[in-house]
């Protein structure tokens, strides 16, 4: 028994906002745009969006204070600032952080008596503003998932399931100005989504088809995308979206949970952090699903680890024994474990960290 639900209407192509963006008119007359401080201004996406909204006679407010790995505090601050205003829709513009932020704020502006912690209690969430997502990186796939990942007061990354966006507009031109290190990190994030979804205990035949296609695209085009090839960057935006559709069905595995402290405590970008531990998590998964793990490695020319090494993914990280012990204990209790084939004790997770951080 399985099910597949992906209700987001996805539009892809150059100048896609001007061509298909007018469908947003049915969502209302006033929009809140959430984005980061600089990238959407540099790549032209913010100008394209505001030009469209003005043509559609949709008024808007721009909140451009979304940080990387958005915090509870910033979401609460935005909710407080806009609580007394009436919006009809929220537009997330940028990478995964603004897109995740958009989902969170869309609930808090509709359910004005809730706070950020309430987002993690599905029983309390009944209404939200419609969300439109416009990715400008090729990695998170948040434009087609119901998830929002926020960082709490203790520095822990925590994901909650909220709503699927109504529309997603993918214009590959916005990714052309991404620097190489960001192409690598976001590309490996998409890779991790595809691989983890394929290996997840929640995998389904439709999600497998999407995951396999995403992996093949990433294997062929990520190295070229890092070199600035525009065709490759177009392909990576497609792969990221496909991989997002995968984890919308399967969620992620232990590799994601293990990567979180590398991001929040050591400053390693999310995609890179997840990718660093993924091959070693796969080695343990192989005890239960050898054929699937072997299939992943075949796609990446017999070794995902070597593919990631060749990309220059791995970096030295100074980590204490106390930190490793603490991270391993926390990961062993993460909800991701239930999705992950294999037996993962604290000791086995500690071993994985040591292997990954010694490459």
């Amino acid at each position: 028994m399985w099910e597949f639900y992906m209700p987001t209407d996805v539009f892809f192509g150059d100048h896609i906002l001007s061509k298909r963006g007018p469908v947003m008119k049915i969502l209302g007359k006033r929009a809140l745009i959430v984005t980061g401080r600089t990238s959407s201004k540099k790549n032209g996406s913010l100008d394209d969006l505001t030009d469209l909204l003005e043509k559609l006679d949709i008024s808007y407010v721009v909140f451009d204070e979304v940080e990387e790995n958005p915090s509870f505090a910033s979401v609460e601050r935005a909710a407080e600032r806009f609580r007394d205003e009436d919006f009809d829709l929220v537009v997330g513009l940028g990478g995964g952080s603004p897109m995740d932020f958009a989902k969170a704020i869309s609930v808090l502006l509709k359910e004005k008596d809730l706070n950020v912690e309430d987002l993690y209690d599905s029983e309390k969430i009944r209404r939200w503003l419609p969300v439109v997502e416009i990715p400008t990186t090729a990695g998170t796939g948040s434009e087609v998932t119901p998830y929002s990942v926020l960082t709490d007061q203790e520095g822990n990354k925590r994901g909650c399931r909220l709503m699927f966006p109504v529309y997603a507009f993918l214009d590959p031109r916005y990714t052309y100005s991404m620097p190489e290190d960001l192409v690598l990190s976001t590309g490996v994030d998409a890779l991790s989504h595809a691989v983890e979804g394929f290996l997840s205990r929640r995998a389904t035949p439709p999600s497998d088809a999407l995951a396999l296609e995403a992996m093949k695209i990433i294997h062929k085009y990520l190295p070229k995308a890092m070199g600035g090839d525009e065709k490759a960057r177009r392909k990576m935006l497609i792969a990221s979206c496909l991989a997002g559709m995968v984890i919308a069905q399967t969620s992620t595995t232990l590799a994601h949970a293990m990567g979180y402290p590398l991001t929040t405590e050591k400053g390693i970008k999310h995609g890179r952090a997840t990718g660093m531990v993924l091959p070693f998590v796969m080695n343990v998964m192989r005890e239960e699903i050898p054929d699937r793990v072997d299939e992943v490695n075949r796609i990446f020319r017999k070794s995902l680890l070597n593919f990631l090494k060749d990309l220059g993914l791995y970096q030295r990280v100074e980590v204490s024994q106390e930190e490793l012990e603490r991270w391993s204990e926390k990961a062993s209790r993460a909800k991701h474990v239930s999705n992950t084939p294999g037996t993962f004790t604290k000791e086995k997770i500690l071993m994985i960290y040591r292997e990954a951080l010694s490459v």
Side-chain angles (χ1 to χ4, degrees):
M1 174 180 161
W2 54 266
E3 61 181 277
F4 186 92
Y5 180 64
M6 214 301 292
T8 305
D9 205 345
V10 180
F11 303 95
F12 178 96
D14 291 346
H15 304 282
I16 196 64
L17 275 174
S18 63
K19 295 174 181 176
R20 299 306 302 273
V23 298
M24 280 194 281
K25 195 170 180 66
I26 67 172
L27 299 180
K29 300 291 290 182
R30 183 166 168 79
L32 174 63
I33 301 170
V34 295
T35 188
R37 293 189 181 277
T38 59
S39 63
S40 63
K41 300 178 180 72
K42 291 180 179 178
N43 61 35
S45 58
L46 183 58
D47 284 342
D48 287 351
L49 174 59
T50 55
D51 287 349
L52 170 68
L53 295 179
E54 288 166 8
K55 289 176 182 176
L56 297 178
D57 196 28
I58 297 175
S59 64
Y60 59 85
V61 174
V62 178
F63 178 80
D64 62 358
E65 301 174 23
V66 180
E67 74 271 45
E68 188 173 356
N69 304 308
S71 66
F72 278 29
S74 63
V75 175
E76 291 277 18
R77 186 168 61 250
E80 184 63 29
R81 182 183 305 182
F82 299 117
R83 183 162 278 129
D84 295 332
E85 298 197 39
D86 291 323
F87 293 101
D88 299 312
L89 66 151
V90 178
V91 184
L93 175 65
S97 294
M99 290 194 287
D100 285 4
F101 194 106
K103 296 170 194 173
I105 199 69
S106 77
V107 175
L108 299 183
L109 293 181
K110 193 70 174 179
E111 298 276 13
K112 298 179 186 290
D113 58 330
L114 299 185
N115 58 42
V116 175
E117 193 66 49
D118 292 325
L119 298 177
Y120 296 83
D121 184 350
S122 59
E123 295 297 317
K124 293 183 178 180
I125 300 172
R126 291 289 179 266
R127 301 179 302 160
W128 51 81
L129 296 175
V131 174
V132 175
E133 304 282 32
I134 305 170
T136 62
T137 65
T140 71
S142 185
E143 70 273 12
V144 290
T145 79
Y147 306 123
S148 176
V149 180
L150 307 173
T151 303
D152 68 17
Q153 299 90 336
E154 285 74 43
N156 302 307
K157 292 188 72 164
R158 294 169 55 191
C160 54
R161 185 182 179 95
L162 299 176
M163 80 297 291
F164 279 93
V166 179
Y167 298 123
F169 296 94
L170 283 66
D171 189 329
R173 298 177 305 126
Y174 301 148
T175 70
Y176 294 167
S177 60
M178 291 168 59
E180 181 177 317
D181 66 324
L182 187 58
V183 174
L184 172 61
S185 179
T186 57
V188 174
D189 193 18
L191 180 157
S192 299
H193 293 162
V195 171
E196 291 179 62
F198 182 70
L199 301 178
S200 170
R201 287 193 170 121
R202 295 172 57 183
T204 69
S207 70
D208 283 351
L210 294 169
L212 290 167
E213 180 64 15
M215 281 187 270
K216 291 172 184 175
I217 293 172
I218 293 166
H219 172 252
K220 183 174 181 179
Y221 288 105
L222 178 53
K224 297 176 184 177
M226 289 174 60
D229 184 279
E230 291 184 357
K231 176 184 176 182
R233 293 198 177 191
R234 296 175 69 87
K235 293 289 189 179
M236 284 302 301
L237 187 58
I238 294 171
S240 172
C241 186
L242 295 179
M245 293 178 186
V246 172
I247 61 166
Q249 314 302 317
T250 67
S251 192
T252 51
T253 69
L254 181 63
H256 259 65
M258 291 185 66
Y260 286 159
L262 287 168
T263 297
T264 57
E265 298 187 33
K266 299 299 177 180
I268 299 174
K269 288 187 178 297
H270 167 67
R272 183 188 286 264
T274 305
M276 287 170 67
V277 299
L278 178 58
F280 302 97
V281 174
M282 285 171 53
N283 288 342
V284 179
M285 290 184 184
R286 201 174 187 285
E287 299 169 0
E288 186 172 321
I289 50 168
D291 292 345
R292 282 190 167 247
V293 171
D294 288 348
E295 188 164 1
V296 171
N297 282 321
R298 277 196 298 272
I299 290 172
F300 292 96
R301 294 188 178 177
K302 298 185 179 180
S303 172
L304 175 61
L305 176 60
N306 287 341
F307 177 76
L308 295 175
K309 283 182 181 178
D310 290 343
L311 292 176
L313 182 76
Y314 287 88
Q315 63 185 74
R316 285 290 176 183
V317 185
E318 294 296 328
V319 182
S320 70
Q321 180 64 27
E322 183 277 328
E323 288 173 319
L324 289 177
E325 293 278 354
R326 175 164 49 83
W327 296 354
S328 300
E329 173 62 30
K330 185 174 180 181
S332 71
R333 295 182 280 103
K335 62 183 180 181
H336 302 74
V337 174
S338 64
N339 298 333
T340 311
T343 302
F344 291 88
T345 61
K346 175 188 172 181
E347 291 70 29
K348 198 168 287 188
I349 293 169
L350 183 61
M351 175 194 70
I352 292 171
Y353 272 127
R354 286 173 174 156
E355 289 176 333
L357 297 177
S358 64
V359 173

